Amino acid sequence: MIKIAVLVSGSGSNLQALIDANLSGQIVGVISNKPKAFALERAAKAGIATTVIEHKHYPDRETFDAVMHQQLLDWDVDLVILAGFMRILSAKFVQAWEGKMVNIHPSLLPYYKGMHTHQRVLNTGDVLHGCTVHYVTAELDAGQALTQGVLTVDLHDNVQSLAARVHVLEHLIYPQAVEWICNGTIQHLENGQVLYKGQALKQPIQFCQL
């Protein structure tokens, strides 16, 4: 059984979606850099181990990441899930977990990497928007995309309504992508290639919400 750790900073709605999904893997621990993150309460209620590693207590990003890395090793983790973890990770940490760490981003990657995706979509007038689960690499939001949730932007949408609609899709596609990793449907090979059902994954698997 794959052992999973989830990194959080906030409310943990995606963590809750993962808990509720009854994954074939086991969430063995949750790490937060914020001691008051509600995600910690969600984890405790589910009987999942938690630890707080406050970044402000460390002199630099590398030292903070090294402590976090050691905690993941102590839990014997196979897969790291970023779920609203509001910290930029050091290159060394990312390299150590490359192929074993996934993130969800609120856009249809490779479009709109970085911040303020909903506003940028509205500014551009795009018809389609959504979210993407992807492997984490040193380049921002550039790792292999695994799944995407796609929705049609409504004429009356604003930043808040788009964010709420994308959240619904996140709670659908993140547990699905993680489950596929847990049961071997998605595999990350040592050469960096990603397989879906034994075949090279060239495009993310898309789920639509019209």
Side-chain angles (χ1 to χ4, degrees):
M1 180 181 290
I2 283 183
K3 294 182 179 180
I4 300 166
V6 184
L7 276 52
V8 299
S9 296
S11 70
S13 64
N14 272 311
L15 169 63
Q16 190 65 57
L18 292 164
I19 292 170
D20 294 343
N22 294 315
L23 302 167
S24 57
Q26 180 187 7
I27 302 175
V28 297
V30 170
I31 295 175
S32 177
N33 65 315
K34 298 289 185 69
K36 295 184 179 180
F38 184 65
L40 294 169
E41 294 185 33
R42 295 181 188 271
K45 186 176 179 179
I48 299 169
T50 63
T51 189
V52 175
I53 305 174
E54 291 190 71
H55 59 274
K56 65 182 181 181
H57 292 167
Y58 298 91
D60 51 47
R61 181 175 290 120
E62 288 73 20
T63 306
F64 168 75
D65 284 358
V67 174
M68 193 162 56
H69 176 71
Q70 186 57 55
Q71 179 62 72
L72 296 173
L73 294 180
D74 290 346
W75 282 336
D76 196 23
V77 166
D78 303 298
L79 179 66
V80 178
I81 296 175
L82 305 182
F85 187 64
M86 304 306 291
R87 294 290 299 168
I88 295 174
L89 298 168
S90 64
K92 185 176 181 181
F93 183 89
V94 171
Q95 184 178 20
W97 293 97
E98 191 161 336
K100 300 177 182 179
M101 182 161 56
V102 293
N103 182 42
I104 191 160
H105 181 74
S107 80
L108 298 176
L109 293 173
Y111 302 104
Y112 305 109
K113 299 177 181 179
M115 304 289 286
H116 310 300
T117 59
H118 309 309
Q119 185 63 63
R120 290 158 66 192
V121 164
L122 291 171
N123 291 347
T124 308
D126 286 9
V127 175
L128 298 178
H129 186 36
C131 48
T132 306
V133 178
H134 63 96
Y135 278 112
V136 177
T137 61
E139 185 180 350
L140 178 67
D141 300 327
Q144 173 77 54
L146 305 177
T147 57
Q148 288 184 328
V150 185
L151 57 78
T152 302
V153 179
D154 188 86
L155 288 174
H156 304 292
D157 267 321
N158 55 35
V159 170
Q160 291 74 28
S161 65
L162 268 185
R165 294 175 64 203
V166 169
H167 265 302
V168 173
L169 288 176
E170 289 181 8
H171 300 161
L172 168 70
I173 71 167
Y174 215 175
Q176 182 62 80
V178 172
E179 176 59 24
W180 279 341
I181 293 171
C182 289
N183 66 26
T185 300
I186 289 177
Q187 296 174 289
H188 189 287
L189 305 183
E190 290 186 3
N191 63 5
Q193 186 177 30
V194 178
L195 305 181
Y196 172 73
K197 295 184 177 180
Q199 303 295 317
L201 180 62
K202 297 181 180 179
Q203 299 291 335
I205 308 303
Q206 290 192 332
F207 301 82
C208 294
Q209 182 190 55
L210 299 179

